[in-house]
Amino acid sequence: MAQGDTELEARLEEQDEFEPSEEFVAQANVSDAGIYDEFEENWPECWERAADLLDWDEEYDEVLDDSNPPFYEWFTGGELNACHNCVDRHVENGDKNRVAIKWEGEHGETRTYTYQDLYREVNEFAAALRDLGVEEDDVVTLYMPMVPELPIAMLACARIGAPHNVVFAGFSAEALATRMNAADSRFLVTCDGYYRRGDPLDHLDKTNEGLDSVDHGVDATVVVDRLGDDGFGHDLKGNQHDWDELLDEQRGERVDPVERDAEDMLFLMYTSGTTGQPKGVKHTTGGYLSYATWTSHAVLDIEKEDTYWCSADIGWITGHSYIVYGPLALGSTTVMYEGTPDFPNRDRMWDIVEKYAVDVFYTAPTAIRAFMKWGSKYPESRDLSSLRLLGTVGEPINPRAWKWYYEHIGNENCPVVDTWWQTETGGMMITTLPGVKNMKPGSAGPPLPGIDAQIVDTNGDEVEPGRAGYLTVNKPWPGMLRTLYKNDERYISEYWEEYSDTDSDDPDDWVYFPEDGAKVDDDGYITVLGRVDDVINVSGHRLGTMEIESAIVGVEGVAEAAVVGGNHEVKGEAVYAYVITEDGYEEGEDLRARIIEGVEDAIGPIARPEQVVFTPELPKTRSGKIMRRLLEDVANGAELGNTSTLRNPDIVEQIEAKVHAQSD
Ligand code: PRX
């Protein structure tokens, strides 16, 4: 490392507050500090500012209907179409030749879609879906990797008013079936396969296996041919259709965008919760789209001239809001990359930034920590001077990783927004407005204008700055989930019951609980500490420990299992599984391999346990409750908390010794 670099590192290490450059502020979409007061004084009408970023077919009557909390309705009476907002209006406004999607495959092949191209293909696919029998409000499941056909299918669904239900392609066959069953979805769009680290992966085989477990059967499946000659030679079954053939049949077809009520469902997205059953988060057309668009404009500072890249997968909410809906509604160019960040080399991300002159880049702390580990020579070998703003999402970012990102990717010129939000919130909630606020590494920032968040104790009383407590949100916001699909009761019990007076009709008595721990400083900056429920966050992906446990106990030879998250240098958290074997079964490599396979089959490789620790017992309280906190301490090599309340205190030391032996 050069002398200058060392000095720079030392200076950055000490600095705990960073100002955006004057140059950035001068051009920022939002740079007036008065916006916070303006939103507070004019709440909820302030949200018209978000709705104004969209075209409405029918003006709304009311910004917020809060007469039946927590079933809030936004922009009531309004009508609009999300696809029209993301595609048609740009074509009509003279931007038909502007690039909408820049796609790059893992092997380096590229595809470019102008807004006109997108318009044509979305229309043709919408017509194809209709011909296959998809009607308004039918849920269409999209089980697809990062290929352009995924956003095209999402927009085609939105065009005809059919909510989409995207299932992450890395999820297993069983996870696909669970989500299709839960959503009563009879239509599926998938693909033959995709590339990972240079090799083709068979996706259709996994899809077919999942389809066998869809209880209600499936009316039609559409298969994208991604692999061409590298494909696995599957024949399509009777109700399976080839994407390209369908489009050929529909060449030149146009489908009028359906006018959707603002409160009509735009999509469903399943996410992990505390029970084994994933939760179907329902997002709406008016509120969600306004919110995703507004935050893309105000926080990511996207302008239509920008080339913007979010490296998430569209299979997660980040990709929905900030690869597809937000950037396309703003008419910008959104970059999609199919593969892994280190294929063929560790400079792949920076190669893409350089090639497309990316202006705004949004990624996850887990990726930043991996880049940091690989070393700064990779970004230094590329021209990253096009970058104007950087963002992170998905998990807490440690100040060291933040500063590395700021220095080595942003060249100390780009604000870094650390954005806290959730699948349920639809869009960013807590982060700095980059044209207004200073940044503090490690802290997401203050709540965005119009967002009312507090840190409270178990009684719901506000805690002092600096003390850890629970994050709560006290006012509704347009991007919020409306309910859990067909399960209003669980919606209330998961998110509202903890801190609300559930008998009250007064919205002031209703408080949203995101199930995160947090603390606030004297300037109102919030540091999110992590989940306080049984959900772990692996590489920014949310996994329910119960889901993993039920996969493990389903493996022959396993009597009981407890899963917790342990700290991991790159992934943030990793899965630790503590397993008791059934009598007559041997602990060892065979069972370990079957457990890992069981988890991969039930959920997918992302949930793969980092460590499987066999133990004769689990630490339990006298009432028989597993003490997970202790198991976490063991996973983290931390000092053990109080074990005196345990029925079997000795077991903890035995487990600890095993974990140490395995990690050595
Ligand atoms: O614990 C918080 C963490 O990720 C959870 C939400 O996960 P998911 O619904 O999968 O959405 C991820 C992408 C929005 C939150 O409850 N989280 C997300 N962003 C941050 C974060 N934790 C700390 N800092 C963040 N910036």
Side-chain angles (χ1 to χ4, degrees):
M1 191 186 288
Q3 181 64 30
D5 284 352
T6 325
E7 277 167 26
L8 182 64
E9 299 274 351
R11 178 166 60 72
L12 286 181
E13 195 151 327
E14 276 175 17
Q15 194 173 342
D16 52 16
E17 193 161 339
F18 292 76
E19 239 181 283
S21 68
E22 277 175 27
E23 197 189 343
F24 181 86
V25 173
Q27 62 77 56
N29 285 340
V30 177
S31 56
D32 176 6
I35 188 170
Y36 289 90
D37 287 344
E38 197 189 299
F39 267 56
E40 195 172 332
E41 284 155 18
N42 190 26
W43 198 93
E45 279 72 29
C46 55
W47 289 114
E48 284 177 11
R49 203 154 149 181
D52 284 349
L53 293 171
L54 302 180
D55 278 2
W56 294 78
D57 299 315
E58 187 71 49
E59 270 305 309
Y60 48 88
D61 308 316
E62 208 181 1
V63 171
L64 168 65
D65 176 355
D66 58 5
S67 57
N68 182 26
F71 300 96
Y72 298 99
E73 295 190 350
W74 287 88
F75 309 120
T76 52
E79 286 182 355
L80 75 167
N81 184 281
C83 180
H84 166 84
N85 274 284
C86 291
V87 184
D88 302 37
R89 65 169 173 162
H90 307 309
V91 172
E92 289 161 13
N93 293 342
D95 283 323
K96 67 178 184 186
N97 292 324
R98 186 182 290 284
V99 175
I101 299 176
K102 271 267 177 213
W103 175 85
E104 181 160 313
E106 208 185 51
H107 285 288
E109 67 273 50
T110 58
R111 277 156 73 182
T112 300
Y113 289 79
T114 62
Y115 277 95
Q116 178 64 37
D117 296 332
L118 198 56
Y119 175 78
R120 182 180 36 77
E121 198 152 329
V122 164
N123 267 286
E124 289 167 358
F125 193 59
L129 285 176
R130 280 233 174 116
D131 272 6
L132 292 173
V134 179
E135 290 179 12
E136 198 172 343
D137 294 320
D138 283 344
V139 176
V140 178
T141 300
L142 310 178
Y143 185 42
M144 298 164 85
M146 289 291 281
V147 289
E149 287 82 356
L150 173 52
I152 288 167
M154 290 164 77
L155 293 164
C157 286
R159 193 168 192 87
I160 60 173
H164 52 73
N165 168 34
V166 178
V167 177
F168 174 55
F171 275 144
S172 66
E174 203 177 315
L176 168 69
T178 308
R179 285 157 179 74
M180 288 189 75
N181 284 327
D184 305 320
S185 177
R186 297 179 157 274
F187 299 92
L188 176 68
V189 186
T190 183
C191 75
D192 61 343
Y194 52 103
Y195 293 95
R196 267 299 171 276
R197 292 184 201 284
D199 295 325
L201 260 178
D202 192 340
H203 190 63
L204 191 52
D205 189 45
K206 194 164 73 163
T207 306
N208 285 335
E209 194 190 322
L211 285 176
D212 287 342
S213 307
V214 176
D215 305 334
H216 47 61
V218 166
D219 292 353
T221 299
V222 180
V223 184
V224 173
D225 177 1
R226 160 71 188 113
L227 295 176
D229 292 343
D230 280 347
F232 294 85
H234 296 293
D235 290 326
L236 297 188
K237 299 180 184 169
N239 62 354
Q240 297 188 324
H241 308 265
D242 176 76
W243 172 287
D244 291 326
E245 282 175 21
L246 288 183
L247 288 201
D248 277 348
E249 284 164 21
Q250 303 291 346
R251 183 156 299 159
E253 279 301 316
R254 296 289 175 261
V255 174
D256 285 339
V258 171
E259 290 181 8
R260 296 283 278 171
D261 188 279
E263 279 297 308
D264 280 342
M265 174 157 57
L266 177 61
F267 66 86
L268 259 180
M269 163 129 266
Y270 281 86
T271 188
S272 295
T274 30
T275 73
Q277 266 305 318
K279 306 183 277 196
V281 170
K282 174 184 162 182
H283 280 296
T284 57
T285 313
Y288 168 83
L289 191 64
S290 315
Y291 199 69
T293 309
W294 162 250
T295 45
S296 298
H297 164 84
V299 181
L300 294 172
D301 198 48
I302 298 176
E303 291 164 39
K304 69 176 186 180
E305 293 76 18
D306 282 338
T307 301
Y308 158 82
W309 184 21
C310 166
S311 72
D313 191 293
I314 296 177
W316 306 95
I317 192 73
T318 305
H320 279 52
S321 301
Y322 301 114
I323 296 178
V324 182
Y325 285 112
L328 292 179
L330 292 174
S332 68
T333 300
T334 186
V335 175
M336 282 178 72
Y337 169 55
E338 175 187 39
T340 49
D342 53 354
F343 186 86
N345 295 307
R346 289 175 167 180
D347 63 354
R348 185 63 187 269
M349 307 298 273
W350 321 123
D351 183 59
I352 294 175
V353 170
E354 180 183 73
K355 192 187 307 174
Y356 302 117
V358 170
D359 299 275
V360 177
F361 179 60
Y362 191 37
T363 193
T366 186
I368 298 169
R369 288 191 293 264
F371 304 147
M372 196 163 102
K373 219 172 153 196
W374 297 340
S376 54
K377 67 176 184 209
Y378 298 105
E380 273 158 17
S381 69
R382 300 290 168 171
D383 177 6
L384 307 183
S385 60
S386 58
L387 289 169
R388 182 176 85 242
L389 177 82
L390 302 172
T392 87
V393 58
E395 44 177 324
I397 179 163
N398 44 313
R400 242 189 95 223
W402 191 102
K403 288 177 186 177
W404 186 91
Y405 192 36
Y406 181 74
E407 180 192 342
H408 293 285
I409 309 304
N411 194 26
E412 294 192 83
N413 264 328
C414 307
V416 174
V417 286
D418 171 0
T419 60
W420 177 88
W421 58 292
Q422 306 182 297
T423 305
E424 291 86 344
T425 70
M428 302 159 177
M429 300 285 281
I430 300 175
T431 183
T432 47
L433 278 177
V436 178
K437 293 276 185 191
N438 287 356
M439 301 149 267
K440 299 188 188 185
S443 166
L448 283 174
I451 300 300
D452 182 359
Q454 263 189 351
I455 315 299
V456 301
D457 62 18
T458 39
N459 299 321
D461 297 324
E462 204 169 347
V463 300
E464 286 164 39
R467 305 274 307 259
Y470 301 97
L471 179 62
T472 54
V473 184
N474 302 300
K475 282 199 179 115
W477 64 100
M480 67 194 297
L481 80 163
R482 295 303 192 267
T483 190
L484 293 176
Y485 189 57
K486 296 197 174 163
N487 203 341
D488 290 348
E489 235 167 78
R490 189 170 176 201
Y491 168 64
I492 293 179
S493 66
E494 291 266 355
Y495 304 107
W496 302 93
E497 215 155 53
E498 193 78 23
Y499 290 109
S500 308
D501 172 2
T502 50
D503 292 328
S504 171
D505 290 338
D506 182 350
D508 288 342
D509 293 330
W510 287 82
V511 174
Y512 174 80
F513 181 41
E515 302 193 88
D516 270 346
K519 60 182 183 178
V520 63
D521 73 7
D522 290 325
D523 298 327
Y525 278 53
I526 293 173
T527 294
V528 177
L529 301 167
R531 305 284 309 186
V532 294
D533 55 0
D534 293 330
V535 166
I536 54 182
N537 193 327
V538 178
S539 303
H541 300 320
R542 191 164 141 183
L543 301 168
T545 51
M546 288 277 287
E547 278 172 81
I548 307 176
E549 281 168 12
S550 71
I552 296 178
V553 295
V555 173
E556 192 190 328
V558 173
E560 202 179 341
V563 164
V564 299
N567 296 338
H568 189 278
E569 198 190 342
V570 174
K571 298 178 187 170
E573 281 189 293
V575 175
Y576 276 70
Y578 300 90
V579 174
I580 303 179
T581 51
E582 247 176 89
D583 285 348
Y585 284 86
E586 263 184 47
E587 302 176 357
E589 276 321 303
D590 172 58
L591 185 54
R592 190 188 311 275
R594 285 194 294 112
I595 287 171
I596 289 174
E597 195 185 311
V599 173
E600 291 194 348
D601 284 351
I603 303 165
I606 41 162
R608 184 191 169 97
E610 184 83 10
Q611 277 218 23
V612 177
V613 183
F614 294 108
T615 172
E617 285 174 55
L618 291 167
K620 287 192 178 160
T621 59
R622 295 208 168 84
S623 60
K625 216 174 147 243
I626 299 172
M627 286 280 278
R628 287 163 189 283
R629 189 74 36 88
L630 282 173
L631 292 172
E632 277 168 18
D633 289 345
V634 171
N636 293 331
E639 197 152 315
L640 296 181
N642 185 1
T643 55
S644 64
T645 54
L646 289 183
R647 192 165 60 188
N648 49 355
D650 298 342
I651 195 67
V652 186
E653 276 172 31
Q654 288 179 38
I655 298 177
E656 213 177 8
K658 282 202 166 189
V659 172
H660 284 173
Q662 286 188 19
S663 355
D664 289 342

